[in-house]
Amino acid sequence: MMDKTFNPNDAETRIYQAWEDSGAFQPKDDDKAEAFSIVIPPPNVTGRLHIGHALNNTLQDVLVRYKRMLGCSVLWQPGTDHAGIATQMVVERQLAQEGNISRADMGRDAFIERVWEWKEESGGAIMQQLRRLGATCDWSRERFTLDEGLSKAVLKVFVELHQQGLIYRDKRLVNWDPHFQTAISDLEVENRETQGHFWHFAYPLADGSGELVVATTRPETVLGDSAVAVHPDDERYQHLIGKMIKLPIADVEIPIVADEHADPEQGTGCVKITPAHDFNDFEVGKRHDLPKVNILDREARLLTADDGTGGLDRIPAEWRGMDRFEARKKLVAKMEELGLLREVEDKTIQQPYGDRSGVVIEPWLTDQWYVNAGELAKDAIAAVEDGRTTFHPKTWEKTYFEWMRNIQPWCISRQLWWGHRVPAWYDEDGNVFVAESEADAVEQARAKHGKDVALTQDPDVLDTWFSSALWPFSTLGWPDDSPEMVERYYPTSVLITAFDIIFFWVARMMMQGLHFMKVAPFKDVYIHALVRDEKGQKMSKSKGNVIDPLELIDEYGADAVRFTLAAQAGQGRDIRMSKERVEGYRNFGTKLWNAARFAEMNECVVPEGYDPKTVTQTVNKWILSEAAQAVEAINAGLDTYRFNDAAAAAYRFVWNVFCDWHLEFAKPLFNGEDEAAKAETRATTAFVLDQALKMLHPFMPFVTEALWAETGERSSQLIVADWPQLDGLQDAEATAEMDWLINLVTDIRRLRAEMNIPAGAQLPLVAVDVDEVVAPRLWRHDALIKRMARLSAIDLSDAVPPASAQTVLGTTTLALPLEGVIDFGAEKERLTKEVAKLDGEIGRLEKKLGNERFVANAPAEVVAEQREKLTDYAGQKAKMAEALARLEAM
């Protein structure tokens, strides 16, 4: 006998361990089976499962389980990313808390050893958390971006791209984090709205004939100016183009140049150009061959030593070594002292911060390693244009194209210790030797110099994204291990990821995959939406609305969390997450469990030799037809990444069709005296329950696996059972008849509710204008209709009886005589009050939504919520008004 309830806390760990022990997660050893492969977006080794991970991995697991049951040889490749700066920060913070020596005091080798120790002890906890979610990755193939095999791939790619001229060293501007003292990617920069200032300074013309006024939010960079730009068509300044400006404090002359970067409509139309400290100015500097004058060191302090750019000579001696913000105050004060401060304007600005360090990021001129991304992007753009790779939703292709067609050189070096060391060595003269090993570099140097020379390896490491860009093929053993794995599972079938890393990961995998493997790394890219709170707001710690999926799993079970996420994963639509939704889908699992218990109590089993195509009872033909349609809808949804449609089809079939209707229809047959009908209905109910478990398994794997074991003699676990194949079971005639029956019972129940008929009242039903199709249906299902609609009799008539509530089904009028059943006067009064109350609510909301100020200023989710309420109230009012009209007509 089955337990009364399913306890996920007791069952999930046990079930998952049984799956893993069985080897179900590993690819099927069958060359004839279609290959289906997918790579997990490797979470940071520092990570913890958050709601975005839960969505991403749920959708992947839904597909993986579906394809596995379809008989594919499925490889879901798991792993974690070393996450350079994030991991280094964690360990440095630990050292500080322990009061130990700093990273610098420890030295590189000792520090890296300490990071590896932390990684082995604490890193990768998220992999265990993914198991709690039910993710069926092939854990035997788990990889880490600093694994020896992946490191070999990184070295090969770097060296080959360098040999091809696609990796080079250059002095350019980067996002510099003064706290970590490293370049960081755009992804790691968080732009915050900040209250700042525009300082307006006068720059005197060198010939003494006047001045130009420029405005800046960063006064300290004045010392690094190389020019002042004006628009070439700005008539106010055309006569000054080519003349010189006397740069205050620095006491040097700089030119006035004509450039379209200067906007005549902004301020005075004059713009100071500081190529070494501003990304836009860097480009202007290139166009006009301006010197790149750096004034800051690695800690964002004014220089204390000559760096070869000429910046040191511009800095007053007493200012050298000063913090940039202190230098700002000094410079503003000096400009005011010189009489050159014209205005200080309050201004809201976008200030770049390091997302991990929390300090203001500085555009800084450094020598870094770069990839010629523009060249690699060409085929990556073409692959999406010609359909080799398709985005879902397709609208994301526009975002991809916009970035790829305007791509900049990719800075791949980082001034960190944790990561893939740049495979470059330098001799004393600065010659560089790029090789896969130090021995190879030594050989290159010997060939150049004719003797052995001392070499020093580049201290930098590679951007984390460089190694993760190789993930789809490096994890398969490329360049030299397991070529059969590469041939079998590359390219992958689909990538499921978030929109915010299209540029940083998806695009780079496309570039590297096409360049080295000559094939795009995935056929489809599914971009999932954001998970928001129940009001549609983005989750954040500051708002206190962050939902922890692990807490939800503890409270409601993994199945409920998974189904909630999948059921709302509509393409292009953000997900609203709430405990109430999760609780609702937990109740769905309970409904399924109770249905299985009901089937067990009624001795429903699938006998040997059962053939669903031979059933004779209309109710059985109908439920089999509904099951076939549900499978068709789920297939269509999952094959096109419309997870919400697939989940909705499964939900509708299991709850609304199987549990709510079929089991009710089957009760009389279970209890009847027709043994053949009873046996057929028991067998069909058990068979359909099996199909329901299979349909639901990708979404709710734990409860379905538990029920699979409880409800029959099984030759395998559900995880590797065959996906339902129900072709040929659709029956239009049975479907039409049972749909009619469902609509009839539903309409009568609705009529009873709207007219406030007491639940226990047994009323006669009068059917008017009954045709030759409806009459035999009423006769065949007489007992069932009376039981389900709480009727005392079903009578046929040519006229509607007086004082009756009516509804129309097809061409038949259905009437419930109400004389003596309800108090007409009291009911009219009740409905009138209800309509008046709803009118008040509707009027209030219409006034609110008609207020342009409210609509413009209120958060979008609040406006949407008010509109939903208005629609709901309007629907309620329509039903009340209809019921009132019936009473008025009696």
Side-chain angles (χ1 to χ4, degrees):
M1 186 70 180
M2 287 175 56
D3 292 338
K4 287 188 176 181
T5 58
F6 175 68
N7 187 333
N9 292 330
D10 292 340
E12 287 177 355
T13 302
R14 171 177 48 79
I15 291 171
Y16 193 92
Q17 192 61 54
W19 287 332
E20 193 165 359
D21 291 345
S22 74
F25 303 166
Q26 295 167 18
K28 181 186 291 188
D29 186 16
D30 180 356
D31 292 340
K32 295 179 182 178
E34 178 187 346
F36 179 85
S37 60
I38 188 168
V39 293
I40 194 172
N44 289 354
V45 70
T46 60
R48 172 183 167 84
L49 187 72
H50 60 61
I51 201 69
H53 290 133
L55 170 64
N56 182 285
N57 287 279
T58 290
L59 299 183
Q60 289 180 82
D61 195 55
V62 166
L63 277 187
V64 161
R65 289 177 183 272
Y66 169 62
K67 292 293 184 177
R68 191 183 285 124
M69 294 175 77
L70 278 172
C72 296
S73 179
V74 175
L75 171 62
W76 186 9
Q77 176 65 56
T80 49
D81 194 300
H82 65 279
I85 195 168
T87 305
Q88 186 162 312
M89 180 181 73
V90 167
V91 177
E92 286 196 70
R93 188 181 294 149
Q94 284 181 347
L95 290 173
Q97 290 171 346
E98 293 167 5
N100 290 339
I101 58 177
S102 68
R103 166 170 65 100
D105 293 331
M106 288 181 76
R108 185 171 193 137
D109 291 344
F111 178 76
I112 290 174
E113 185 178 337
R114 172 63 185 260
V115 180
W116 274 108
E117 287 174 6
W118 175 85
K119 188 265 176 186
E120 295 304 321
E121 291 172 11
S122 309
I126 193 171
M127 294 291 103
Q128 295 302 321
Q129 293 165 352
L130 285 173
R131 286 173 165 88
R132 291 204 59 205
L133 187 69
T136 55
C137 306
D138 182 357
W139 301 110
S140 69
R141 295 187 55 81
E142 186 176 342
R143 305 303 299 269
F144 178 53
T145 49
L146 282 178
D147 281 349
E148 184 178 341
L150 272 67
S151 296
K152 189 171 185 178
V154 167
L155 291 170
K156 180 178 177 64
V157 166
F158 188 99
V159 172
E160 287 194 13
L161 289 177
H162 181 263
Q163 290 170 345
Q164 296 161 6
L166 294 171
I167 280 184
Y168 56 92
R169 191 158 171 80
D170 194 12
K171 187 181 285 290
R172 293 176 61 91
L173 276 192
V174 296
N175 296 305
W176 185 260
D177 188 317
H179 175 77
F180 288 115
Q181 295 181 35
T182 181
I184 63 173
S185 71
D186 292 341
L187 180 66
E188 295 162 308
V189 176
E190 179 185 333
N191 286 301
R192 302 180 193 168
E193 196 172 86
T194 308
Q195 294 307 309
H197 304 284
F198 255 151
W199 285 270
H200 296 252
F201 297 133
Y203 286 7
L205 294 169
D207 61 8
S209 62
E211 66 183 30
L212 291 183
V213 177
V214 300
T216 179
T217 59
R218 299 159 67 213
E220 66 279 10
T221 63
V222 164
L223 299 172
D225 286 356
S226 295
V228 171
V230 297
H231 196 278
D233 299 332
D234 194 334
E235 295 179 357
R236 294 173 294 177
Y237 304 116
Q238 284 183 341
H239 65 291
L240 296 177
I241 295 170
K243 287 195 171 188
M244 304 299 284
I245 288 283
K246 184 82 168 178
L247 185 63
I249 304 174
D251 199 30
V252 295
E253 292 188 1
I254 59 175
I256 300 170
V257 299
D259 196 280
E260 292 186 353
H261 174 60
D263 184 352
E265 304 298 322
Q266 290 290 324
T268 63
C270 305
V271 183
K272 63 188 285 299
I273 303 300
T274 321
H277 294 285
D278 182 273
F279 289 103
N280 290 322
D281 294 1
F282 182 83
E283 298 301 323
V284 175
K286 283 201 300 185
R287 290 195 287 271
H288 298 277
D289 197 25
L290 299 174
K292 305 176 187 70
V293 181
N294 173 53
I295 60 168
L296 298 175
D297 65 11
R298 296 170 64 90
E299 296 180 77
R301 296 178 178 275
L302 295 181
L303 291 174
T304 57
D306 187 5
D307 70 346
T309 67
L312 183 67
D313 295 337
R314 295 185 174 198
I315 302 169
E318 65 274 17
W319 291 10
R320 293 174 183 176
M322 189 178 289
D323 176 77
R324 55 184 161 163
F325 297 118
E326 185 63 29
R328 175 178 298 180
K329 295 175 186 176
K330 286 282 186 184
L331 190 134
V332 172
K334 187 65 176 176
M335 293 294 274
E336 186 171 20
E337 180 186 323
L338 294 171
L340 299 175
L341 177 60
R342 294 289 176 265
E343 182 185 355
V344 181
E345 176 188 354
D346 290 338
K347 184 84 173 174
T348 300
I349 61 173
Q350 291 293 320
Q351 187 101 294
Y353 286 81
D355 66 349
R356 291 188 173 88
S357 67
V359 302
V360 175
I361 295 303
E362 192 68 42
W364 198 51
L365 192 66
T366 62
D367 288 310
Q368 302 283 350
W369 288 94
Y370 289 89
V371 171
N372 183 346
E375 184 61 33
L376 291 177
K378 291 177 182 176
D379 198 24
I381 292 169
V384 177
E385 288 177 331
D386 62 28
R388 279 175 280 164
T389 296
T390 303
F391 277 77
H392 306 265
K394 205 168 177 63
T395 49
W396 286 112
E397 290 181 2
K398 181 181 178 183
T399 303
Y400 174 83
F401 286 139
E402 282 178 357
W403 190 72
M404 292 290 272
R405 289 167 180 159
N406 296 283
I407 200 166
Q408 296 297 309
W410 173 16
C411 176
I412 56 171
S413 46
R414 297 289 182 269
Q415 289 64 55
L416 302 170
W417 287 354
W418 173 246
H420 293 279
R421 188 89 173 261
V422 172
W425 286 261
Y426 303 91
D427 64 18
E428 290 181 353
D429 299 326
N431 295 305
V432 62
F433 304 95
V434 172
E436 291 186 38
S437 68
E438 185 173 8
D440 289 346
V442 168
E443 197 62 39
Q444 290 179 26
R446 185 182 297 122
K448 179 178 180 64
H449 293 285
K451 61 179 181 178
D452 287 338
V453 296
L455 297 180
T456 303
Q457 187 173 359
D458 194 309
D460 291 352
V461 300
L462 292 169
D463 176 16
T464 296
W465 297 106
F466 189 87
S467 51
S468 58
L470 316 180
W471 191 248
F473 55 93
S474 65
T475 52
L476 294 173
W478 186 91
D480 52 12
D481 294 336
S482 307
E484 70 282 357
M485 291 295 290
V486 177
E487 185 177 339
R488 182 87 165 111
Y489 297 107
Y490 186 92
T492 62
S493 307
V494 59
L495 176 75
I496 296 180
T497 190
F499 69 88
D500 56 348
I501 54 174
I502 290 176
F503 316 135
F504 304 100
W505 190 47
V506 179
R508 287 163 179 171
M509 284 191 288
M510 288 288 286
M511 290 190 282
Q512 300 287 39
L514 284 160
H515 189 77
F516 285 95
M517 308 301 292
K518 310 306 177 189
V519 180
F522 17 74
K523 297 166 188 170
D524 292 309
V525 178
Y526 174 81
I527 303 296
H528 63 71
L530 279 176
V531 185
R532 299 180 178 271
D533 71 7
E534 60 190 306
K535 295 179 180 177
Q537 298 183 86
K538 191 172 180 178
M539 293 185 195
S540 71
K541 291 180 181 177
S542 61
K543 290 180 183 175
N545 64 344
V546 173
I547 294 177
D548 185 340
L550 294 168
E551 290 181 5
L552 291 177
I553 291 170
D554 285 340
E555 189 170 355
Y556 300 107
D559 290 327
V561 175
R562 290 167 58 105
F563 202 92
T564 304
L565 292 166
Q568 295 187 80
Q571 290 189 13
R573 190 177 72 227
D574 286 345
I575 290 171
R576 290 191 177 193
M577 195 73 173
S578 70
K579 281 193 171 185
E580 288 72 25
R581 287 183 188 272
V582 181
E583 185 177 13
Y585 288 121
R586 191 267 312 275
N587 296 341
F588 175 44
T590 301
K591 182 91 168 179
L592 175 66
W593 188 269
N594 290 338
R597 290 187 74 239
F598 177 80
E600 180 190 52
M601 286 187 288
N602 283 278
E603 302 176 12
C604 296
V605 293
V606 183
E608 189 174 344
Y610 172 79
D611 183 355
K613 293 181 179 178
T614 63
V615 300
T616 59
Q617 296 293 311
T618 301
V619 67
N620 295 329
K621 291 180 179 179
W622 163 76
I623 193 60
L624 289 165
S625 182
E626 287 283 353
Q629 291 176 54
V631 170
E632 196 174 280
I634 295 167
N635 291 348
L638 294 182
D639 289 343
T640 56
Y641 312 112
R642 289 181 287 110
F643 295 93
N644 61 317
D645 289 349
Y651 182 94
R652 174 192 172 273
F653 174 73
V654 173
W655 187 302
N656 303 120
V657 178
F658 182 70
C659 295
D660 278 356
W661 291 106
H662 173 73
L663 295 182
E664 288 300 317
F665 294 154
K667 281 178 183 177
L669 294 168
F670 289 158
N671 300 321
E673 296 182 3
D674 186 332
E675 292 300 326
K678 183 186 297 186
E680 179 187 287
T681 305
R682 284 173 170 170
T684 301
T685 299
F687 176 81
V688 172
L689 177 60
D690 281 359
Q691 310 316 303
L693 296 178
K694 292 179 179 181
M695 290 179 220
L696 270 179
H697 182 73
F699 306 97
M700 305 182 85
F702 291 105
V703 68
T704 52
E705 187 71 77
L707 285 171
W708 185 253
E710 291 275 6
T711 54
E713 295 293 328
R714 310 297 186 184
S715 59
S716 70
Q717 295 175 305
L718 179 56
I719 190 174
V720 291
D722 292 335
W723 185 251
Q725 302 292 336
L726 304 180
D727 296 339
L729 292 179
Q730 290 88 342
D731 189 313
E733 188 175 332
T735 297
E737 179 160 336
M738 298 309 292
D739 283 352
W740 168 87
L741 178 59
I742 289 169
N743 289 333
L744 183 143
V745 173
T746 301
D747 281 357
I748 296 172
R749 287 174 173 175
R750 178 180 55 81
L751 202 58
R752 293 179 66 111
E754 289 176 2
M755 301 310 296
N756 207 25
I757 297 170
Q762 297 276 324
L763 305 182
L765 172 69
V766 178
V768 182
D769 295 331
V770 175
D771 61 23
E772 66 279 4
V773 174
V774 172
R777 287 177 178 174
L778 287 169
W779 174 77
R780 277 197 297 273
H781 301 292
D782 176 85
L784 193 58
I785 295 170
K786 286 191 286 191
R787 183 175 65 84
M788 297 185 74
R790 296 192 297 278
L791 301 174
S792 57
I794 300 176
D795 302 319
L796 307 186
S797 176
D798 295 330
V800 176
S804 62
Q806 304 157 40
T807 187
V808 176
L809 179 61
T811 60
T812 304
T813 299
L814 303 173
L816 293 177
L818 299 180
E819 191 68 52
V821 177
I822 62 172
D823 184 330
F824 293 157
E827 197 56 29
K828 286 180 187 177
E829 185 178 346
R830 181 185 71 84
L831 289 170
T832 301
K833 286 181 180 178
E834 289 289 343
V835 169
K837 183 180 176 182
L838 287 167
D839 275 334
E841 291 295 329
I842 290 167
R844 181 181 62 81
L845 287 172
E846 286 178 338
K847 183 178 179 181
K848 196 173 190 178
L849 291 167
N851 183 333
E852 292 181 6
R853 182 179 294 180
F854 168 76
V855 174
N857 296 328
E861 60 271 12
V862 172
V863 176
E865 185 181 11
Q866 298 299 301
R867 285 187 173 137
E868 285 177 17
K869 280 186 179 179
L870 180 60
T871 302
D872 183 44
Y873 288 153
Q876 290 181 43
K877 179 189 170 183
K879 289 180 180 178
M880 297 283 185
E882 185 182 345
L884 186 58
R886 287 196 197 99
L887 287 169
E888 297 287 359
M890 289 181 188

